[in-house]
Structures are given as C-alpha cells and as structure tokens.
Amino acid sequence: MSASPDYPKDKEKALGSDADIYAVEAAPDLVIVRRFGALGPFLSKLFASGVEARGVERVPEDQRESKNAWNNLLMWWSVNAVLTTIPIGVLAQSVFTLSFGNAVATIICFGALGAVATAFIATLGPKTGLRTMIITRFSSGYFGGTIYSILNILTQLGFSVISVILGGQTLANINPGAFPLVVGIIIIGVCCLIPCFIGYDMVHVYERYAWMLMSLIMLFLWGLGGKAGYDINAQKPLEDTGRALSADILSFGGIVFGSFSGWAPVAADYNCRLPVDTPPMRVFLLTFFGLFIPICFVEILGAALMTITDPAYVTAFEDGSTGGLLAQVLSPWGHFGQFILVLLALSVIANNIPNTYSAGLSMQALGRPFAVIPRFFWVFLAFVVYTVAGVAGREHFSAILSNFLSILSYWTAFFIVIVAEEHFIFRRKNGPLGGYNLDDYDTPSKLPVGVAGMLAWCFGVAGAVVGMSEVWYTGPLGKVAGATYGADLGFELAATFSAVTYLPLRALEIKLTGR
C-alpha cells in the first residue's frame, strides 16, 4: 500500500495550490461548490447543514475516525433484523417444500459461506479508504469496475424494490382495504431517502440503534408463533426425496447465499472512514456476526411461521402473502399488534438505507462524468427509480424475490472470488504487485488493463448459465444435478469458473503490462 499523500491542512489553500490533484479528496465540499458556479451558494448551505459532500473519492488518512467501529456489527444487525428478511425463510416451504429441519440446516450452512465472503470485502474499507466499487478497479481495471458498478446499481435497486413492496404490503394489511398499497410504498421510499440524502454520518446514527427495537419485535413474533402452534413436521409429507430434495436444498441455498453475499458489493462503503490501522480480523468478525446472527435468526423465523397449520394462518398467507401472515400472527394482541405491524413495516427503512446510499455511490463509480455530479443527486434518482418500480411490480412480490436473489448470488460469487484472489495472491506484501498504490484509483493508465478480470467474470457468467435453474431457464448442468426442475448450481459454478481462470490470466496480464 502506498504511503498517504501529504494533504494540505488548509482546505481553501489546497484548492489553489499544486496539491489541487488531491483537493477533491481533502475538501470535496469546496470542490463541488466551485464546480457548479451559480449553484455554489445553495450547495454551500446544503453542505453546511450536514449533507455529505464526499462521494467515491478516497478518504485521506488524516480524515479517518474510529467512532463508528462497532457499527461493523450494529449496522449490519439493524439492516438485517427486519421485515424484509422474513420472506426469505418463508420461501423454504412455500416454493421449495423443505421441511423445517432441512430449511434451518440450509440457512445456517449457506449463510455462513455468504457471511464469510461479505466480511472479507468489509476488511478492505479501512485498508484502502475506498468505496467497494472503486476497489474493484484494482483487479478488473477502470472499465471492469464500471461493469461491476452497473451490476451493483441493478442489485441495490432490486433490493430496494423488494423492500418498499414488502413494507407497503405490511402497512396495507394493518387495515385491509382502507390503506392503498401504493401509498405505503411511497411512504417507505421517502423515509429511506431522508437519511441517505444527508449521508454517511446520518446512516450510521440510524443504524446504530435501529436493531434494538426490531430484535425485540422478532422475539415477540417467535413467541406469538409458538402460541399459535409450530408443527415442525408439518412439511414432511410435502417434501421431495432423493435428487429432487437435493435440488430444492441447492436452489434454496443459492437464495440464502444471495441474501448474505448481496451486501458484499457495498460492505466497504460503510467503514472506509475507519483508521487504516484498524485490525482486519476485528472488522471481519464484527461484520460476520453482524450478518450471521440476525439473518439466520429471522430467516429461520420465517421458516417456522410456515409450519403453523391453523387454517386462519394458512388463509392469511394465501390471501396476503408474508404481510398477511404476520398480521394474523399479531392479531391476538389487537390494536397493539397493529402498532407492532406498523413498526415492522417501517423496519424496512433500516434495510433499504444501504441499498439507496450505495446505489448513489455506484452511479458515481460509473466514471468521471458521473463522479463530478454530487452524491445526493444520484441518491434521489435511485429513490425515484425504485419507488416507481415498486408501484409497478407490487403484485408480483414472491416472483421478484425468488428470481432476483437467485440471480444476485451468481454475480456476487465471481465478484468476491476475483477480488479475493487479487488481494491475497497478487497484492500480498511479497506478491507480484506488493500491495495497492491507492493514489492510482482514478487513473486508468496506472490501473490494471482489466482483461484478466473481465475474462474471468465472463467465465463466471458462463458457469452461472450452465448451472442455473430458474423458472424461465435451466442450464445443462442444472438439469443433470436435479430432478424435474433441475438444481440451481449457478453461484457455485460462477465462483469456480472465475477462480480457476482469473489466476493464470492475471499472472499473464501482470507479466505483459507490469500492472
């Protein structure tokens, strides 16, 4: 890793000195104000009021702080101990007919794998001071990083659509027929926009405390579900056997992995302001448990609620999906149960904040023409897009959830593998490149050419295609691995194909280009 450049302490002086090349990192607010001329005074007041000016620029070492270190645990706990996580567990029975025991085992095993992958990416934030999509430039080049940014924009917007639809559904189920679903979706979207528009510090403040109330509510749901009567053997007669069972486990496992690894492309966005000497193992463990404990706890809750055989609960799910089922679970508590349902609906705000904030950063990471536009503009654009999409797709929630999370796991798998091989093999201390020259993050001529990275993710896509099993397509290996509907081996093959090809391709690229 390169030494930190000598950033001028006086921001105003920096803008007019030879150190202007570092001005956007040292004083992004002043650079933006100067760049937009007539809008400068308005922007200056906006930044002075607390709106974050920094976008995808690297955070200088002398502007790092350790105050949000524990948010590596607390933030991810808040983000995942929410309503949005419950339907993933519900899919185990409603789509894959898994028994409760097999659902729990699948969630724990595939979840651990996804949590390890995401926690590794999180360690790169303090080490580099860069946002996640910018870090990909050191393995796949400037253009390759742009492709990753496009994929991540689609990922975060997809997550956001799921969040606002589910939050809106739950609000609508509080008093069926009296509260339009569209209004609920818009309310959730606006509530997500506010902290993301303000920026990094407000995101951390909200996520530092949101987990407390939501964890308590999840315990309430566990208790009320138990009172209704869990029957962990209820799904046994419906469960497939033999190859069909294996296919169900692999396909559901891909969705579970995606629910964890889906945070990998944003994991470094929220700790890049920590000091460079923050122990990587501390970041890894805090992030791992911040993901693994709440996601497993809540996804298993979703699976458990589907074992309730009371006809009223079965009808509630058939008529109102997950939101209807939760409304029925809370119905014994009357008006207080309705209040809890409101809080559950609003919990998706904590989940959707990282989606919204990081979608804006990924739009900036598309390239310099996008990076010069202030971060808050892209955040607002993301809000508009996913709110409109949520209104349009509000009647197809289950299909969106299952298909989106499966496809998501494909690209995050090869993204993680490529970044990991670059970090541990080529950027290790005594490796071919000896570390990261962090000053080069926005200089295409000094970054890798990117051919190795792009070819490796092309092979990863090929692996996903031959191994995937979706409603609309099943790859040849996916057909062989399963029974009637095949088995989804998409993320496993995507990761394997990329891992095997990136190593020799990158070694050759370094030999020929030196970078």
Side-chain angles (χ1 to χ4, degrees):
M1 186 185 302
S2 66
S4 171
D6 224 1
Y7 294 100
K9 299 296 183 183
D10 189 323
K11 292 183 178 181
E12 293 285 0
K13 185 177 180 181
L15 292 176
S17 72
D18 292 338
D20 194 63
I21 188 172
Y22 299 121
V24 72
E25 297 177 22
D29 51 344
L30 299 180
V31 172
I32 293 172
V33 167
R34 185 180 65 175
R35 181 183 292 149
F36 284 89
L39 290 175
F42 168 75
L43 292 172
S44 182
K45 291 180 180 178
L46 199 64
F47 298 142
S49 69
V51 173
E52 181 188 17
R54 186 177 300 282
V56 293
E57 305 83 17
R58 181 171 179 261
V59 183
E61 275 83 347
D62 63 356
Q63 294 188 26
R64 311 277 190 95
E65 53 190 4
S66 59
K67 69 177 183 179
N68 291 315
W70 276 97
N71 267 25
N72 284 290
L73 172 75
L74 301 179
M75 174 178 169
W76 295 116
W77 197 300
S78 294
V79 166
N80 292 292
V82 295
L83 173 65
T84 325
T85 311
I86 297 176
I88 300 171
V90 168
L91 291 174
Q93 281 90 9
S94 65
V95 175
F96 301 102
T97 66
L98 292 176
S99 65
F100 181 71
N102 282 330
V104 171
T106 304
I107 289 168
I108 291 174
C109 294
F110 283 85
L113 187 61
V116 165
T118 303
F120 155 67
I121 298 295
T123 65
L124 301 181
K127 187 180 294 291
T128 64
L130 294 169
R131 312 286 191 166
T132 316
M133 288 299 99
I134 302 299
I135 294 172
T136 64
R137 294 177 179 178
F138 287 95
S139 55
S140 298
Y142 198 90
F143 180 73
T146 299
I147 301 299
Y148 277 125
S149 296
I150 293 172
L151 290 171
N152 197 38
I153 291 167
L154 297 175
T155 297
Q156 303 314 316
L157 292 179
F159 266 134
S160 297
V161 170
I162 291 170
S163 295
V164 296
I165 290 177
L166 185 56
Q169 278 182 347
T170 308
L171 287 175
N173 275 293
I174 293 170
N175 190 3
F179 194 88
L181 176 55
V182 172
V183 175
I185 290 172
I186 293 172
I187 289 174
I188 296 297
V190 171
C191 291
C192 296
L193 170 66
I194 294 170
C196 297
F197 188 91
I198 296 172
Y200 186 93
D201 287 334
M202 180 56 67
V203 167
H204 275 284
V205 168
Y206 188 90
E207 303 289 12
R208 187 179 302 130
Y209 303 107
W211 66 275
M212 299 179 183
L213 180 60
M214 291 318 305
S215 296
L216 181 62
I217 290 175
M218 294 304 165
L219 290 172
F220 289 162
L221 290 174
W222 270 105
L224 287 169
K227 186 176 181 180
Y230 296 127
D231 182 359
I232 61 174
N233 296 313
Q235 295 289 333
K236 275 289 185 182
L238 303 175
E239 188 174 54
D240 292 323
T241 57
R243 290 176 61 208
L245 175 59
S246 299
D248 292 336
I249 291 174
L250 287 169
S251 297
F252 179 57
I255 292 175
V256 172
F257 177 81
S259 71
F260 282 80
S261 67
W263 298 117
V266 307
D269 293 352
Y270 302 97
N271 61 17
C272 59
R273 295 191 186 182
L274 290 177
V276 69
D277 59 356
T278 303
M281 183 55 69
R282 181 186 182 192
V283 174
F284 178 88
L285 291 175
L286 289 175
T287 305
F288 177 86
F289 288 113
L291 291 164
F292 186 73
I293 296 174
I295 296 180
C296 288
F297 185 74
V298 179
E299 287 184 0
I300 293 172
L301 168 63
L305 292 177
M306 290 297 289
T307 68
I308 300 174
T309 56
D310 186 316
Y313 289 76
V314 175
T315 302
F317 178 76
E318 292 173 349
D319 293 343
S321 192
T322 304
L325 176 60
L326 292 174
Q328 180 63 36
V329 171
L330 290 165
S331 61
W333 281 1
H335 292 304
F336 182 67
Q338 291 182 326
F339 174 68
I340 295 296
L341 205 57
V342 172
L343 295 179
L344 267 174
L346 296 178
S347 75
V348 304
I349 296 170
N351 181 266
N352 200 35
I353 283 174
N355 304 330
T356 307
Y357 182 83
S358 290
L361 292 174
S362 294
M363 291 176 187
Q364 282 194 312
L366 290 172
R368 290 174 183 169
F370 298 88
V372 298
I373 299 174
R375 177 200 59 82
F376 62 79
F377 170 81
W378 297 116
V379 166
F380 182 78
L381 179 62
F383 153 74
V384 171
V385 171
Y386 69 66
T387 303
V388 171
V391 170
R394 63 190 182 277
E395 304 298 338
H396 308 285
F397 174 75
S398 292
I400 293 173
L401 178 65
S402 58
N403 286 300
F404 170 71
L405 283 177
S406 294
I407 295 171
L408 165 64
S409 69
Y410 304 154
W411 89 264
T412 55
F414 63 73
F415 150 74
I416 292 164
V417 165
I418 290 172
V419 172
E421 288 192 344
E422 180 71 23
H423 179 76
F424 288 114
I425 298 173
F426 300 106
R427 301 279 177 177
R428 71 182 191 276
K429 187 174 182 180
N430 297 314
L433 296 174
Y436 296 87
N437 189 353
L438 297 173
D439 300 340
D440 298 341
Y441 77 90
D442 199 36
T443 308
S445 62
K446 295 182 179 180
L447 290 165
V449 176
V451 174
M454 288 185 281
L455 284 176
W457 56 252
C458 284
F459 279 105
V461 170
V465 170
V466 299
M468 70 192 301
S469 176
E470 301 293 337
V471 174
W472 39 272
Y473 174 78
T474 301
L477 292 182
K479 288 180 181 177
V480 172
T484 306
Y485 301 105
D488 195 343
L489 297 171
F491 91 83
E492 293 95 336
L493 292 180
T496 302
F497 280 32
S498 292
V500 170
T501 55
Y502 183 71
L503 205 57
L505 288 171
R506 183 69 172 117
L508 179 62
E509 183 178 66
I510 292 173
K511 183 177 181 180
L512 295 176
T513 67
R515 52 191 171 98

